[in-house]
Amino acid sequence: MLELFYTGMIVGALVSSPMGPIGMLCVQRTLAKGWRSGFVSGAGAAFSDLIYATVTGLFMGLVVNFVEAHQRPLQIFGSVIIAVLGYYIFQNNPLKSLQRNQEQKQTLVQDFVTAFLLTFSNVLIVFLYIGLYARFGLVLPEHSVRMTILGLVGVFAGAILWWLFITFVVSLLRRWFNIRGLKLMNRIVGSVIILLAVIGLISSLIG
């Protein structure tokens, strides 16, 4: 049964590894606020991934039918959410953010929730899970409920370990960034996220 747990860890790491909007958000927060902020943001994304992994595994047929029936509006909704996040990061002043973060006591909670909601808006991730489940045989009809749960716990563990690794590495480079460097990073990350959102929106409208 441990093989299912390790397989789940591979799936969780593969789902989290693409450096999309969430990856860039975690990097930006790690540089601007520190390791805890970046890791907690990654944990929020991992929790959202766990929900989709569970729903996909338990209700695979229903999930596929729903997503296929509403694919275009879901893509548009996700693209708009990503564009709003990109604009927020682009115009964000890192100096004011650092001062505000020192005054607020629930920053980590806010980081977790915002990353969770952003990841949760990407409903199309279920297709990625379906492909990975089929490739690695993580969810099969002959698996018991205990085996399925063990595999899903592995998915969450793999995602958490991925974000732990990424934010730790980025935090080691944090000292090379001053306020000016953080502002430039915000502009770069925000621009890339907005570009990704525009590309996604265009492909949804003409697809």
Side-chain angles (χ1 to χ4, degrees):
M1 290 182 63
L2 284 178
E3 292 183 2
L4 274 179
F5 178 78
Y6 296 137
T7 301
M9 290 182 63
I10 295 174
V11 171
L14 288 175
V15 171
S16 303
S17 60
M19 285 302 291
I22 287 297
M24 293 183 177
L25 176 66
C26 291
V27 169
Q28 184 263 347
R29 285 180 173 175
T30 302
L31 291 174
K33 306 177 186 180
W35 172 81
R36 288 186 179 86
S37 177
F39 176 71
V40 168
S41 299
F47 187 70
S48 174
D49 287 339
L50 176 62
I51 294 177
Y52 277 125
T54 303
V55 172
T56 304
L58 299 180
F59 308 100
M60 190 173 292
L62 295 176
V63 169
V64 172
N65 292 334
F66 176 80
V67 173
E68 288 182 343
H70 304 86
Q71 184 169 356
R72 180 169 294 183
L74 289 174
Q75 286 178 330
I76 294 174
F77 173 75
S79 297
V80 171
I81 294 297
I82 292 173
V84 171
L85 172 69
Y87 174 74
Y88 173 78
I89 294 176
F90 181 87
Q91 57 82 40
N92 189 41
N93 186 327
L95 181 59
K96 292 182 178 179
S97 296
L98 291 174
Q99 293 173 344
R100 185 168 59 250
N101 291 333
Q102 293 174 352
E103 298 173 357
Q104 295 178 349
K105 296 182 179 180
Q106 294 185 333
T107 302
L108 294 180
V109 175
Q110 295 171 351
D111 289 340
F112 181 92
V113 172
T114 54
F116 169 81
L117 292 176
L118 178 63
T119 308
F120 199 71
S121 69
N122 183 21
V123 183
L124 300 181
I125 197 174
V126 297
F127 286 121
L128 178 58
Y129 275 113
I130 291 171
L132 291 174
Y133 285 173
R135 168 63 180 81
F136 291 97
L138 186 64
V139 178
L140 297 175
E142 59 267 27
H143 287 171
S144 64
V145 175
R146 173 186 274 183
M147 294 173 67
T148 301
I149 292 176
L150 184 63
L152 293 174
V153 171
V155 171
F156 182 72
I160 286 291
L161 289 176
W162 170 260
W163 293 120
L164 180 63
F165 169 75
I166 287 298
T167 53
F168 175 74
V169 171
V170 173
S171 66
L172 294 179
L173 304 176
R174 186 178 177 228
R175 60 182 178 179
W176 299 100
F177 286 83
N178 51 25
I179 295 298
R180 187 175 182 180
L182 291 175
K183 187 173 183 179
L184 178 61
M185 174 63 68
N186 284 355
R187 295 294 176 88
I188 294 174
V189 172
S191 298
V192 172
I193 291 178
I194 292 173
L195 179 61
L196 292 173
V198 171
I199 293 174
L201 185 60
I202 294 176
S203 63
S204 301
L205 295 175
I206 68 176

